[in-house]
Amino acid sequence: MKMTKSKLILVLLVTSFLVAGVFEPRYLPPGEPMSLAGLIHMVAIIVLLFLWCKTDSSERGIVPPSGAPILCAFISPVGVPYYLFRSRPWRQASVGVVLALVLSAMMTAQYLAGFYLKTHVVT
C-alpha cells in the first residue's frame, strides 16, 4: 500500500512527539510558561496539522470546508472533527474521529517514550 502525503504528514506529527519528549527540559525555570523546545514543537504541530488538512483535501479532490485548515491547526479538537464531517460521509467521518483519538493517544505515548529515553537511557 502506497503511503500518501497526508499519511506521511501524520507520521511526522506522531514522530515529532518522540523528538519533543527527548528535547523538552525536565523542569522549567520559575515563571517560564514554556521552553524553546516546546515553542518550536507547538509551531511544528500547527504547520503539520494545517498541511495535513490541505493535503488530504487535495488528495480527495475537494476544496476544504471554509476555515477547516485554520481550525485544524489552531483548535484541533474542534477543527479535525469539523473537517472530517464536512469532507466525508458520516460513517467515514466517525471512523476518522476515532482514528484521530487513537493518533492522540499515540502522540502521548511517543512523548512519554521520548521523555523516558532522555531520563533513563540517555544520560
Side-chain angles (χ1 to χ4, degrees), residues 6 11 16-17 19-20 23 25 30 37-38 74 79-80 82 92 115 118 123:
S6 61
V11 168
S16 76
F17 279 83
V19 174
F23 287 101
F74 289 98
V80 171
Y82 169 71
Q92 284 181 352
F115 193 75
K118 172 187 169 182
T123 54

Side-chain angles (χ1 to χ4, degrees), residues 17-25 110-111 113-118 122:
F17 279 83
L18 178 68
V19 174
V22 171
F23 287 101
E24 279 285 315
Q110 289 285 77
Y111 181 84
F115 193 75
Y116 179 84
L117 285 171
K118 172 187 169 182
V122 180

Side-chain angles (χ1 to χ4, degrees), residues 15-39:
T15 305
S16 76
F17 279 83
L18 178 68
V19 174
V22 171
F23 287 101
E24 279 285 315
R26 248 183 167 167
Y27 304 103
L28 287 175
E32 292 286 325
M34 78 175 8
S35 67
L36 178 60
L39 180 64

Side-chain angles (χ1 to χ4, degrees), residues 45-58 62-76 78-80 82-84 86:
I45 292 168
I46 289 169
V47 168
L48 288 170
L49 285 171
F50 181 86
L51 287 174
W52 168 77
C53 185
K54 297 290 273 182
T55 304
D56 185 75
S57 61
S58 174
I62 63 169
V63 175
S66 180
I70 297 295
L71 279 174
C72 283
F74 289 98
I75 312 172
S76 57
V78 173
V80 171
Y82 169 71
Y83 170 70
L84 292 172
R86 295 291 309 267

